[in-house]
PDB file of all heavy atoms in Angstrom:
ATOM      1  N   SER V   2     -19.203  -1.517  38.760  1.00 50.00           N
ATOM      2  CA  SER V   2     -19.207  -0.164  39.316  1.00 50.00           C
ATOM      3  C   SER V   2     -20.300   0.650  38.730  1.00 50.00           C
ATOM      4  O   SER V   2     -20.561   0.581  37.577  1.00 50.00           O
ATOM      5  CB  SER V   2     -17.844   0.549  39.076  1.00 50.00           C
ATOM      6  OG  SER V   2     -17.737   0.802  37.634  1.00 50.00           O
ATOM      7  N   SER V   3     -20.988   1.344  39.631  1.00 64.00           N
ATOM      8  CA  SER V   3     -22.065   2.260  39.124  1.00 64.00           C
ATOM      9  C   SER V   3     -21.523   3.683  38.936  1.00 64.00           C
ATOM     10  O   SER V   3     -20.758   4.191  39.607  1.00 64.00           O
ATOM     11  CB  SER V   3     -23.204   2.124  40.107  1.00 64.00           C
ATOM     12  OG  SER V   3     -22.800   2.720  41.348  1.00 64.00           O
ATOM     13  N   SER V   4     -22.134   4.212  37.834  1.00 79.00           N
ATOM     14  CA  SER V   4     -21.624   5.607  37.503  1.00 79.00           C
ATOM     15  C   SER V   4     -22.328   6.580  38.467  1.00 79.00           C
ATOM     16  O   SER V   4     -23.491   6.450  38.702  1.00 79.00           O
ATOM     17  CB  SER V   4     -22.048   5.914  36.022  1.00 79.00           C
ATOM     18  OG  SER V   4     -21.706   7.268  35.734  1.00 79.00           O
ATOM     19  N   ARG V   5     -21.573   7.397  39.071  1.00 92.00           N
ATOM     20  CA  ARG V   5     -22.114   8.497  39.846  1.00 92.00           C
ATOM     21  C   ARG V   5     -22.244   9.809  39.105  1.00 92.00           C
ATOM     22  O   ARG V   5     -21.441   9.999  38.146  1.00 92.00           O
ATOM     23  CB  ARG V   5     -21.255   8.727  41.093  1.00 92.00           C
ATOM     24  CG  ARG V   5     -21.135   7.498  41.900  1.00 92.00           C
ATOM     25  CD  ARG V   5     -20.413   7.680  43.256  1.00 92.00           C
ATOM     26  NE  ARG V   5     -20.357   6.536  44.101  1.00 92.00           N
ATOM     27  CZ  ARG V   5     -20.962   6.349  45.155  1.00 92.00           C
ATOM     28  NH1 ARG V   5     -21.801   7.422  45.658  1.00 92.00           N
ATOM     29  NH2 ARG V   5     -20.970   5.251  45.881  1.00 92.00           N
ATOM     30  N   SER V   6     -23.116  10.595  39.454  1.00 96.00           N
ATOM     31  CA  SER V   6     -23.309  11.876  38.867  1.00 96.00           C
ATOM     32  C   SER V   6     -23.129  13.109  39.810  1.00 96.00           C
ATOM     33  O   SER V   6     -23.537  12.868  40.978  1.00 96.00           O
ATOM     34  CB  SER V   6     -24.698  11.927  38.161  1.00 96.00           C
ATOM     35  OG  SER V   6     -25.723  11.801  39.069  1.00 96.00           O
ATOM     36  N   ILE V   7     -22.603  14.085  39.342  1.00 97.00           N
ATOM     37  CA  ILE V   7     -22.312  15.277  40.079  1.00 97.00           C
ATOM     38  C   ILE V   7     -22.955  16.468  39.399  1.00 97.00           C
ATOM     39  O   ILE V   7     -22.760  16.764  38.230  1.00 97.00           O
ATOM     40  CB  ILE V   7     -20.883  15.489  40.272  1.00 97.00           C
ATOM     41  CG1 ILE V   7     -20.261  14.265  41.034  1.00 97.00           C
ATOM     42  CG2 ILE V   7     -20.473  16.779  41.010  1.00 97.00           C
ATOM     43  CD1 ILE V   7     -18.720  14.239  40.999  1.00 97.00           C
ATOM     44  N   GLU V  20     -14.309  22.133  35.333  1.00 94.00           N
ATOM     45  CA  GLU V  20     -14.807  21.214  36.364  1.00 94.00           C
ATOM     46  C   GLU V  20     -15.351  20.008  35.771  1.00 94.00           C
ATOM     47  O   GLU V  20     -15.082  18.873  36.181  1.00 94.00           O
ATOM     48  CB  GLU V  20     -15.906  21.912  37.193  1.00 94.00           C
ATOM     49  CG  GLU V  20     -15.315  22.965  38.137  1.00 94.00           C
ATOM     50  CD  GLU V  20     -16.428  23.761  38.733  1.00 94.00           C
ATOM     51  OE1 GLU V  20     -17.558  23.823  38.254  1.00 94.00           O
ATOM     52  OE2 GLU V  20     -16.084  24.494  39.837  1.00 94.00           O
ATOM     53  N   LYS V  21     -16.083  20.114  34.580  1.00 96.00           N
ATOM     54  CA  LYS V  21     -16.672  18.867  33.965  1.00 96.00           C
ATOM     55  C   LYS V  21     -15.585  18.030  33.449  1.00 96.00           C
ATOM     56  O   LYS V  21     -15.615  16.747  33.595  1.00 96.00           O
ATOM     57  CB  LYS V  21     -17.515  19.396  32.861  1.00 96.00           C
ATOM     58  CG  LYS V  21     -18.272  18.251  32.063  1.00 96.00           C
ATOM     59  CD  LYS V  21     -19.160  18.862  31.063  1.00 96.00           C
ATOM     60  CE  LYS V  21     -19.792  17.718  30.249  1.00 96.00           C
ATOM     61  NZ  LYS V  21     -20.849  17.108  30.933  1.00 96.00           N
ATOM     62  N   ILE V  22     -14.484  18.588  32.884  1.00 96.00           N
ATOM     63  CA  ILE V  22     -13.414  17.762  32.300  1.00 96.00           C
ATOM     64  C   ILE V  22     -12.735  17.048  33.555  1.00 96.00           C
ATOM     65  O   ILE V  22     -12.493  15.888  33.361  1.00 96.00           O
ATOM     66  CB  ILE V  22     -12.371  18.689  31.602  1.00 96.00           C
ATOM     67  CG1 ILE V  22     -12.952  19.176  30.267  1.00 96.00           C
ATOM     68  CG2 ILE V  22     -11.045  17.932  31.378  1.00 96.00           C
ATOM     69  CD1 ILE V  22     -12.098  20.311  29.624  1.00 96.00           C
ATOM     70  N   TYR V  23     -12.408  17.719  34.596  1.00 95.00           N
ATOM     71  CA  TYR V  23     -11.835  17.104  35.707  1.00 95.00           C
ATOM     72  C   TYR V  23     -12.576  15.877  36.228  1.00 95.00           C
ATOM     73  O   TYR V  23     -12.090  14.829  36.541  1.00 95.00           O
ATOM     74  CB  TYR V  23     -11.510  18.074  36.869  1.00 95.00           C
ATOM     75  CG  TYR V  23     -10.263  18.914  36.683  1.00 95.00           C
ATOM     76  CD1 TYR V  23     -10.264  20.243  36.932  1.00 95.00           C
ATOM     77  CD2 TYR V  23      -9.026  18.310  36.123  1.00 95.00           C
ATOM     78  CE1 TYR V  23      -9.168  21.081  36.635  1.00 95.00           C
ATOM     79  CE2 TYR V  23      -7.943  19.140  35.970  1.00 95.00           C
ATOM     80  CZ  TYR V  23      -8.017  20.477  36.124  1.00 95.00           C
ATOM     81  OH  TYR V  23      -6.924  21.271  35.962  1.00 95.00           O
ATOM     82  N   ILE V  24     -13.875  16.173  36.445  1.00 94.00           N
ATOM     83  CA  ILE V  24     -14.744  15.151  37.092  1.00 94.00           C
ATOM     84  C   ILE V  24     -14.888  13.892  36.148  1.00 94.00           C
ATOM     85  O   ILE V  24     -14.834  12.835  36.580  1.00 94.00           O
ATOM     86  CB  ILE V  24     -16.098  15.717  37.440  1.00 94.00           C
ATOM     87  CG1 ILE V  24     -15.962  16.669  38.676  1.00 94.00           C
ATOM     88  CG2 ILE V  24     -17.172  14.693  37.649  1.00 94.00           C
ATOM     89  CD1 ILE V  24     -17.115  17.531  38.944  1.00 94.00           C
ATOM     90  N   GLU V  25     -15.170  14.125  34.814  1.00 95.00           N
ATOM     91  CA  GLU V  25     -15.403  13.083  33.972  1.00 95.00           C
ATOM     92  C   GLU V  25     -14.080  12.274  33.570  1.00 95.00           C
ATOM     93  O   GLU V  25     -14.109  11.072  33.594  1.00 95.00           O
ATOM     94  CB  GLU V  25     -16.129  13.596  32.731  1.00 95.00           C
ATOM     95  CG  GLU V  25     -17.442  14.093  33.105  1.00 95.00           C
ATOM     96  CD  GLU V  25     -18.371  14.483  31.881  1.00 95.00           C
ATOM     97  OE1 GLU V  25     -17.757  14.643  30.685  1.00 95.00           O
ATOM     98  OE2 GLU V  25     -19.567  14.577  32.001  1.00 95.00           O
ATOM     99  N   ARG V  26     -13.008  12.957  33.403  1.00 95.00           N
ATOM    100  CA  ARG V  26     -11.755  12.325  32.940  1.00 95.00           C
ATOM    101  C   ARG V  26     -11.053  11.692  34.032  1.00 95.00           C
ATOM    102  O   ARG V  26     -10.428  10.626  34.010  1.00 95.00           O
ATOM    103  CB  ARG V  26     -10.825  13.306  32.124  1.00 95.00           C
ATOM    104  CG  ARG V  26     -11.484  13.607  30.852  1.00 95.00           C
ATOM    105  CD  ARG V  26     -10.571  14.338  29.983  1.00 95.00           C
ATOM    106  NE  ARG V  26     -11.138  14.747  28.694  1.00 95.00           N
ATOM    107  CZ  ARG V  26     -10.661  15.665  27.942  1.00 95.00           C
ATOM    108  NH1 ARG V  26      -9.523  16.187  28.073  1.00 95.00           N
ATOM    109  NH2 ARG V  26     -11.322  15.935  26.810  1.00 95.00           N
ATOM    110  N   LEU V  27     -10.781  12.504  35.214  1.00 92.00           N
ATOM    111  CA  LEU V  27     -10.058  12.027  36.345  1.00 92.00           C
ATOM    112  C   LEU V  27     -10.859  11.146  37.367  1.00 92.00           C
ATOM    113  O   LEU V  27     -10.201  10.303  37.891  1.00 92.00           O
ATOM    114  CB  LEU V  27      -9.421  13.281  37.140  1.00 92.00           C
ATOM    115  CG  LEU V  27      -8.485  14.169  36.275  1.00 92.00           C
ATOM    116  CD1 LEU V  27      -8.083  15.279  37.145  1.00 92.00           C
ATOM    117  CD2 LEU V  27      -7.327  13.273  35.787  1.00 92.00           C
ATOM    118  N   CYS V  28     -12.046  11.484  37.446  1.00 90.00           N
ATOM    119  CA  CYS V  28     -12.878  10.708  38.547  1.00 90.00           C
ATOM    120  C   CYS V  28     -13.826   9.656  37.799  1.00 90.00           C
ATOM    121  O   CYS V  28     -14.229   8.763  38.571  1.00 90.00           O
ATOM    122  CB  CYS V  28     -13.751  11.632  39.330  1.00 90.00           C
ATOM    123  SG  CYS V  28     -12.680  12.916  40.153  1.00 90.00           S
ATOM    124  N   GLY V  29     -14.051   9.729  36.553  1.00 92.00           N
ATOM    125  CA  GLY V  29     -14.873   8.762  35.852  1.00 92.00           C
ATOM    126  C   GLY V  29     -16.345   8.872  36.209  1.00 92.00           C
ATOM    127  O   GLY V  29     -17.121   7.988  35.969  1.00 92.00           O
ATOM    128  N   HIS V  30     -16.754  10.119  36.660  1.00 95.00           N
ATOM    129  CA  HIS V  30     -18.191  10.364  37.035  1.00 95.00           C
ATOM    130  C   HIS V  30     -18.783  11.138  35.938  1.00 95.00           C
ATOM    131  O   HIS V  30     -18.216  11.844  35.236  1.00 95.00           O
ATOM    132  CB  HIS V  30     -18.321  11.059  38.417  1.00 95.00           C
ATOM    133  CG  HIS V  30     -17.640  10.228  39.531  1.00 95.00           C
ATOM    134  ND1 HIS V  30     -17.984   8.937  39.812  1.00 95.00           N
ATOM    135  CD2 HIS V  30     -16.860  10.643  40.457  1.00 95.00           C
ATOM    136  CE1 HIS V  30     -17.218   8.568  40.833  1.00 95.00           C
ATOM    137  NE2 HIS V  30     -16.592   9.556  41.279  1.00 95.00           N
ATOM    138  N   THR V  31     -20.156  11.199  35.938  1.00 95.00           N
ATOM    139  CA  THR V  31     -20.805  12.014  35.045  1.00 95.00           C
ATOM    140  C   THR V  31     -21.100  13.404  35.599  1.00 95.00           C
ATOM    141  O   THR V  31     -21.434  13.524  36.800  1.00 95.00           O
ATOM    142  CB  THR V  31     -22.209  11.412  34.729  1.00 95.00           C
ATOM    143  OG1 THR V  31     -22.126  10.145  34.207  1.00 95.00           O
ATOM    144  CG2 THR V  31     -23.067  12.234  33.829  1.00 95.00           C
ATOM    145  N   ALA V  32     -20.850  14.505  34.916  1.00 96.00           N
ATOM    146  CA  ALA V  32     -20.998  15.786  35.392  1.00 96.00           C
ATOM    147  C   ALA V  32     -22.175  16.455  34.653  1.00 96.00           C
ATOM    148  O   ALA V  32     -22.256  16.493  33.422  1.00 96.00           O
ATOM    149  CB  ALA V  32     -19.799  16.711  35.199  1.00 96.00           C
ATOM    150  N   ASP V  52     -25.470  12.435  43.039  1.00 95.00           N
ATOM    151  CA  ASP V  52     -24.861  11.982  44.264  1.00 95.00           C
ATOM    152  C   ASP V  52     -24.220  13.101  45.070  1.00 95.00           C
ATOM    153  O   ASP V  52     -24.055  12.999  46.241  1.00 95.00           O
ATOM    154  CB  ASP V  52     -23.687  10.930  43.924  1.00 95.00           C
ATOM    155  CG  ASP V  52     -24.337   9.695  43.321  1.00 95.00           C
ATOM    156  OD1 ASP V  52     -25.138   9.024  43.960  1.00 95.00           O
ATOM    157  OD2 ASP V  52     -24.149   9.454  42.187  1.00 95.00           O
TER     158      ASP V  52
END
Side-chain angles (χ1 to χ4, degrees):
S2 70
S3 62
S4 177
R5 296 188 180 249
S6 59
I7 298 172
E20 291 169 336
K21 182 176 177 75
I22 289 169
Y23 280 135
I24 288 169
E25 292 185 344
R26 291 188 185 169
L27 296 178
C28 301
H30 302 309
T31 301
D52 298 293

